[in-house]
């Protein structure tokens, strides 16, 4: 099943798992060291959004790379189509000339 999921979704799942594990550890730590609970939870409030922000930046980088690759493929495809159109136009011109030669021979 994981083979069918794209890289961005897998990364999202990993980031969520990491954030969840860290949150649970910080919450458990705040119960163990109750004297420092407010400091521990304050650190959690700072760390948790940072994890998601970094993950989103990584995912955005992946998406930008994919978009760049798609644009390159699109441009390559356009060049190939343009070359094909040029070849077809040359073939059409050649066939028109051949057709005109055959008509001249038939009329003579």
């Amino acid at each position: 099943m994981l083979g069918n999921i794209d890289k961005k979704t897998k990364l999202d799942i990993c980031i969520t798992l990491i954030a969840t594990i860290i949150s649970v550890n910080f919450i458990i730590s705040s119960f163990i060291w109750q004297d420092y609970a407010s400091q521990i939870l304050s650190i959690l409030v700072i760390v948790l959004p940072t994890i998601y922000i970094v993950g989103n930046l990584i995912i955005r980088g992946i998406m930008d790379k994919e978009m760049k690759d798609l644009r390159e493929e699109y441009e390559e495809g356009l060049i190939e189509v343009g070359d094909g159109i040029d070849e077809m136009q040359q073939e059409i011109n050649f066939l028109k000339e051949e057709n005109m030669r055959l008509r001249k021979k038939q009329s003579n």
Side-chain angles (χ1 to χ4, degrees):
M1 180 178 159
L2 285 177
N4 296 334
I5 300 174
D6 67 339
K7 192 188 317 186
K8 295 179 293 288
T9 306
K10 287 179 185 175
L11 190 57
D12 262 342
I13 292 169
C14 288
I15 291 167
T16 303
L17 287 174
I18 290 169
T20 303
I21 291 169
I22 289 174
S23 296
V24 169
N25 285 332
F26 271 73
I27 291 170
I28 291 172
S29 298
S30 72
F31 280 110
I32 293 173
W33 295 289
Q34 290 181 0
D35 295 338
Y36 303 104
S38 62
Q39 291 92 341
I40 292 171
L41 294 175
S42 296
I43 293 171
L44 178 62
V45 168
I46 295 169
V47 169
L48 210 55
T50 305
I51 292 170
Y52 284 109
I53 290 169
V54 170
N56 286 335
L57 290 173
I58 293 169
I59 291 171
R60 184 181 300 158
I62 291 170
M63 291 174 63
D64 288 344
K65 184 183 180 308
E66 287 178 355
M67 287 297 294
K68 181 182 175 189
D69 292 344
L70 283 173
R71 283 188 186 123
E72 287 175 1
E73 290 176 15
Y74 177 74
E75 288 172 1
E76 288 173 6
L78 284 178
I79 291 170
E80 289 178 16
V81 167
D83 290 344
I85 289 171
D86 291 341
E87 288 176 17
M88 288 175 62
Q89 189 63 43
Q90 290 173 358
E91 186 71 23
I92 288 170
N93 291 337
F94 174 76
L95 291 173
K96 282 180 183 178
E97 290 173 5
E98 286 295 315
N99 191 18
M100 289 172 65
R101 284 186 200 148
L102 287 173
R103 285 188 183 174
K104 284 183 182 179
K105 281 185 180 181
Q106 289 175 354
S107 63
N108 290 336

